[in-house]
Amino acid sequence: MSGRTPALTPPDSALAPVRHPDAPAPGEPIGTHYEHCFGCGGEQPHGLHLAAKAGEGVSVTAEFLVRPEHQGAPGLAHGGLLATALDDTLGALNWLLRVISVTGRLETDYLRPVPVGTVLHLSAEVTAVDGRKIYATAEGRLNAPDGPVAVRADALFVEVKVEHFTDNGRPEEIQAAMDDPDQIRRVRAFEVNP
């Protein structure tokens, strides 16, 4: 990173992350937490449709194809969209810790342009945990897992209770998620960061 802010630097008392015993095994798809999520949801026609997989330790990988509807400047991915991709990939880490958390801070560095047609390969890992705070880092590479680094980010997630979502979300969507007869989908809708 170009210079991590103090809010993204774990304190000396922070602990190394521990993968939850019920976390998906390395290589397993993590799947969407909510079908209408812009990052990972399949029901968002212009969404990223990120496909995340569990990695070793407390890490994940994901990828997405930058499509014409993702443009900022002509022929290039919008910077905010790239931050969204990093944020959603970082949010998938919560499946490995088995906690509910939200993004508290996301600091993004843009290193190279990302052209339309690029497959952005993302990787993220938790670096430390301190109480309710989860420190993580991510990067996005062009067209291959070992391609040139185009974007990277440091993040701070904060563990929350499910009421964070149910008390603050729009009632129609909350009720629709609660009414889903698929119990697993109903629970997953409220498990990972917005």
Side-chain angles (χ1 to χ4, degrees):
M1 300 262 58
S2 61
R4 185 182 284 180
T5 61
L8 294 173
T9 302
D12 292 338
S13 60
L15 303 173
V18 177
R19 185 188 191 101
H20 192 278
D22 295 331
E28 279 188 22
I30 292 177
T32 183
H33 70 98
Y34 179 53
E35 284 298 324
H36 298 283
C37 173
F38 184 79
C40 65
E43 293 185 23
Q44 283 290 342
H46 300 298
L48 305 182
H49 304 149
L50 283 172
K53 290 184 180 177
E56 297 293 331
V58 188
S59 70
V60 298
T61 59
E63 60 183 58
F64 82 99
L65 172 64
V66 179
R67 299 188 314 263
E69 55 268 28
H70 299 148
Q71 291 180 83
L76 297 174
H78 189 286
L81 179 121
L82 297 174
T84 300
L86 290 163
D87 184 48
D88 206 76
T89 303
L90 287 156
L93 291 165
N94 296 311
W95 292 107
L96 305 181
L97 298 173
R98 303 298 291 172
V99 299
I100 302 170
S101 71
V102 295
T103 309
R105 184 173 186 93
L106 179 70
E107 194 169 289
T108 306
D109 290 324
Y110 301 91
L111 306 172
R112 298 176 188 273
V114 179
V116 169
T118 297
V119 175
L120 194 64
H121 292 261
L122 299 138
S123 59
E125 68 176 328
V126 175
T127 58
V129 176
D130 184 44
R132 294 178 46 223
K133 295 180 178 180
I134 301 162
Y135 298 86
T137 189
E139 66 180 17
R141 294 176 174 264
L142 301 175
N143 295 315
D146 61 351
V149 176
V151 293
R152 58 185 173 199
D154 284 322
L156 170 65
F157 283 76
V158 179
E159 188 173 349
V160 296
K161 303 284 186 205
V162 72
E163 288 79 16
H164 169 87
F165 301 98
T166 58
D167 291 351
N168 296 295
R170 195 166 74 161
E172 298 90 318
E173 279 83 3
I174 298 297
Q175 193 59 53
M178 297 297 282
D179 290 343
D180 191 326
D182 184 325
Q183 183 177 3
I184 293 172
R185 276 198 322 238
R186 186 170 57 241
V187 170
R188 285 188 72 151
F190 302 104
E191 282 191 342
V192 180
N193 79 305

